[in-house]
Amino acid sequence: MSLPNTEPATIRVDAKRQISTLLTLPLRPRASYVFAHGAGAGMKHPFMEAVAIALAMREIATLRFQFPYMESGSRRPDVPPLCHATVRAAVQEAARRCPGLPLIAGGRSFGGRMTSQAQAASALPGVRGLAFFGFPLHPVGRPSDARANHLHSVALPMLFLQGTRDELAELSLLHGVIDRLGPRATLKLMPDANHSFHVPARSGGNDAQLIEELANAFSDWLLAAMSS
């Protein structure tokens, strides 16, 4: 099977800022995922690219995008209101370029949290669910579930794809969050994976296999979420 096309474009966040995007579009897409990057690496990070391709092989388009700080080469993340505005601009672009497709939003770590904050503040137009690749529940070594408080204001299906060795999400706390969110939340644990979705060689698996497992879990959840 040939690799899907990935189309670059530039969009505006506001009068002062514009950002780059990458749309990975399968031949017959059944949904579109607005895929935000993590705090330390942009939309072209190998993990982001691998997930976009794996989802495309399952007929799910992805729109990746840069937050303004990453676009300008800064290492310091933008303030939340600007991140939220950026997510909204990306969602609008995905709706324009993939008309008629169900929209899912979310992302990798920081990007997923900025997306859920934006949704909690004011519903993202057309978005029917949120999917997180490694929700950053707390900083390393500082267990807390306070970062999840806003999720109670999200009235959408949510998928949490999380490694069992994720140092930014203590499992007991994460299970508590999922339980309190109730049927809106689906947790899929990846055995032996850390926050970067790396697995040790002794596990008998590898990162490429894990990408396939993540994409399968996303596809299965999407089918269930869109039919409910």
Side-chain angles (χ1 to χ4, degrees):
M1 183 181 294
S2 60
L3 293 178
N5 290 329
T6 296
E7 305 167 359
T10 301
I11 65 172
R12 285 208 164 272
V13 174
D14 54 31
K16 296 180 180 179
R17 302 171 184 88
Q18 61 182 20
I19 58 169
S20 300
T21 68
L22 290 170
L23 176 65
T24 301
L25 192 64
L27 187 61
R28 297 180 185 85
R30 57 188 172 96
S32 179
Y33 179 45
V34 183
F35 191 15
H37 62 73
M43 67 180 181
K44 293 184 179 180
H45 186 273
F47 176 84
M48 300 286 290
E49 292 187 345
V51 169
I53 291 170
L55 291 178
M57 295 301 184
R58 291 155 179 82
E59 300 181 325
I60 301 166
T62 59
L63 182 84
R64 288 173 278 158
F65 63 95
Q66 299 278 73
F67 286 108
Y69 77 95
M70 189 65 67
E71 187 80 353
S72 67
S74 173
R75 301 182 70 175
R76 184 174 185 176
D78 303 308
V79 295
L82 179 53
C83 291
H84 302 166
T86 305
V87 169
R88 293 184 186 281
V91 167
Q92 184 177 30
E93 177 71 356
R96 184 185 72 82
R97 297 179 69 183
C98 301
L101 292 181
L103 281 177
I104 305 298
R108 173 83 187 90
S109 193
F110 167 85
R113 185 163 68 98
M114 291 301 102
T115 301
S116 59
Q117 286 182 357
Q119 174 67 31
S122 179
L124 297 164
V127 170
R128 296 175 59 180
L130 302 182
F132 309 111
F133 286 84
F135 189 87
L137 192 58
H138 54 74
V140 176
R142 294 163 56 191
S144 169
D145 60 7
R147 285 183 175 178
N149 287 343
H150 70 280
L151 295 176
H152 296 281
S153 299
V154 175
L156 293 174
M158 288 174 274
L159 172 65
F160 294 78
L161 297 164
Q162 215 85 25
T164 60
R165 296 190 304 116
D166 191 333
E167 60 274 26
L168 275 69
E170 185 176 294
L171 281 181
S172 61
L173 293 175
L174 183 61
H175 280 295
V177 169
I178 299 300
D179 288 345
R180 289 190 295 276
L181 290 173
R184 288 172 291 166
T186 299
L187 174 62
K188 179 64 176 178
L189 293 174
M190 299 292 147
D192 298 312
N194 65 9
H195 188 68
S196 298
F197 291 105
H198 293 310
V199 292
R202 67 176 182 275
S203 71
N206 59 56
D207 293 355
Q209 291 171 342
L210 183 57
I211 295 289
E212 293 298 305
E213 292 177 25
L214 289 167
N216 284 336
F218 188 112
S219 180
D220 291 345
W221 168 82
L222 178 65
L223 183 63
M226 294 303 99
S227 62
S228 62

